[in-house]
Amino acid sequence: MDRSRELADFLCSRRARITPDQTGLPADGRARRVPGLRRDEVARLAGVSTEYYTRLEQGRAGNPSPEVTEALARALQLDLAEREHLNDLLARPARRAPIAPQRVRPGLHLMLRTLDHVPAFIIGRRTDILAANRLAREVLTDFDALPVPQRNLARYYLLDPEARTRTGDWERIAAETVAMLRLEAGRYPHDRRLADLVGELTLRSPEFSSWWNDHRVLRRTHGTKVYHHPLVGELHFSYESLQPPGDNDQTLCVYNVEPGSETAQALQLLASWTAPRQDPVS
């Protein structure tokens, strides 16, 4: 990944979404040829020279100080994920050794089995699905039945035709997942598997390139989701995403339901229908 190009495109996309009115800048009467803020307006808001900001946006300014980075984040009204992404793009890390495969420790596997009344799974780098309980495999797809390289949430949402009909508000969920990948790309610019995934999605998903090129970034925390299951119908979830200690690149995702709700009853029914058979004791 060309980090200078990535930095330039990210900064341009962030200033293009902000109008002078949103920042309190007075109207100057000049014809506006670009959407959003001009470079000189961002520079004024951040307290740096227009020349310096231009060089920064072109990848020619070196590493700015933390104070300048914070001033830019305020000027561009970046949220927490965008601030993290900006710092990643400015860090310019040296080329790293190949990234080791992730492993889920036994205690987390046990936790997934304990959470047998709601879908739960552990997501790793690149949105890889590292482990999933039975209800997660039933509500989304059976990740365990896939080859290991294909156990990936972005790949599921964007390339599996069933995901479009099973996922409520598919377009929003798929776009948010692409934004999660964008955040990963800034943090791990030399991850060959991530680059291969982006290449595959670019070639095979009609929507991916547009979402990827808008430079949106997202770190998932909590929210709501709806799925349409062919056996039990519509399922409504409130999900929480938690980082277990020991690996900052692993996230435990739990799809909670209201006790006694139609979704809770449907999950009970689904769990009973799909429970593994046990041989009778002789």
Side-chain angles (χ1 to χ4, degrees):
M1 184 174 68
D2 183 342
R3 294 179 72 77
S4 294
R5 183 73 261 163
E6 287 292 314
L7 176 61
D9 290 345
F10 178 68
L11 291 174
C12 286
S13 69
R14 298 309 91 180
R15 66 180 171 88
R17 68 179 181 175
I18 304 173
T19 65
D21 289 344
Q22 292 174 300
T23 66
L25 288 173
D28 56 15
R30 290 185 293 167
R32 191 163 292 275
R33 295 179 296 175
V34 296
L37 297 177
R38 303 185 186 93
R39 285 175 175 170
D40 64 294
E41 291 170 330
V42 176
R44 194 187 326 165
L45 290 167
V48 298
S49 69
T50 302
E51 179 187 5
Y52 177 81
Y53 178 76
T54 300
R55 287 190 288 113
L56 180 65
E57 200 172 272
Q58 294 174 344
R60 299 185 294 109
N63 292 331
S65 68
E67 292 77 15
V68 170
T69 303
E70 174 60 25
L72 284 172
R74 289 197 305 269
L76 295 170
Q77 300 179 12
L78 303 185
D79 62 24
L80 290 177
E82 290 168 334
R83 286 168 180 252
E84 179 181 343
H85 190 59
L86 176 62
N87 281 304
D88 287 337
L89 293 177
L90 290 171
R92 304 183 187 279
R95 182 171 292 275
R96 298 172 177 148
I99 299 174
Q102 291 180 283
R103 297 285 184 265
V104 177
R105 62 178 182 270
L108 291 176
H109 279 290
L110 179 60
M111 181 182 293
L112 289 180
R113 291 199 300 271
T114 302
L115 293 168
D116 60 352
H117 59 294
V118 293
F121 55 91
I122 294 174
I123 188 171
R125 290 189 295 268
R126 318 171 201 96
T127 72
D128 287 343
I129 300 296
L130 304 179
N133 70 4
R134 183 161 55 91
L135 278 178
R137 299 194 300 271
E138 291 293 341
V139 171
L140 280 78
T141 193
D142 189 353
F143 291 105
D144 287 4
L146 298 173
V148 172
Q150 296 181 20
R151 298 175 187 176
N152 180 274
L153 197 61
R155 202 175 185 282
Y156 165 67
Y157 284 133
L158 289 153
L159 300 184
D160 189 331
E162 190 176 72
R164 293 176 181 258
T165 57
R166 187 170 285 207
T167 308
D169 199 1
W170 173 85
E171 186 170 328
R172 175 180 66 85
I173 298 301
E176 287 179 352
T177 306
V178 173
M180 293 169 62
L181 279 182
R182 256 291 178 200
L183 192 64
E184 290 276 316
R187 189 174 184 185
Y188 295 106
H190 306 303
D191 186 343
R192 170 49 53 188
R193 285 184 57 192
L194 175 57
D196 290 344
L197 175 63
V198 170
E200 181 184 16
L201 295 176
T202 300
L203 291 174
R204 297 183 58 194
S205 168
E207 299 86 359
F208 177 79
S209 292
S210 175
W211 291 333
W212 183 257
N213 291 333
D214 71 10
H215 290 268
R216 181 188 178 194
V217 291
L218 177 69
R219 182 173 292 285
R220 180 159 293 157
T221 53
H222 57 84
T224 60
K225 283 190 176 180
V226 177
Y227 288 93
H228 306 285
H229 194 276
L231 293 179
V232 296
E234 194 167 279
L235 302 170
H236 294 258
F237 300 104
S238 296
Y239 72 83
E240 296 288 340
S241 301
L242 310 168
Q243 284 190 337
D247 188 340
N248 291 332
D249 290 331
Q250 292 189 22
T251 302
L252 171 65
C253 298
V254 181
Y255 286 11
N256 295 304
V257 299
E258 286 289 340
S261 65
E262 291 184 2
T263 295
Q265 296 172 20
L267 285 180
Q268 289 179 347
L269 187 60
L270 183 61
S272 65
W273 281 348
T274 60
R277 288 186 174 182
Q278 295 188 5
D279 295 332
V281 177
S282 57

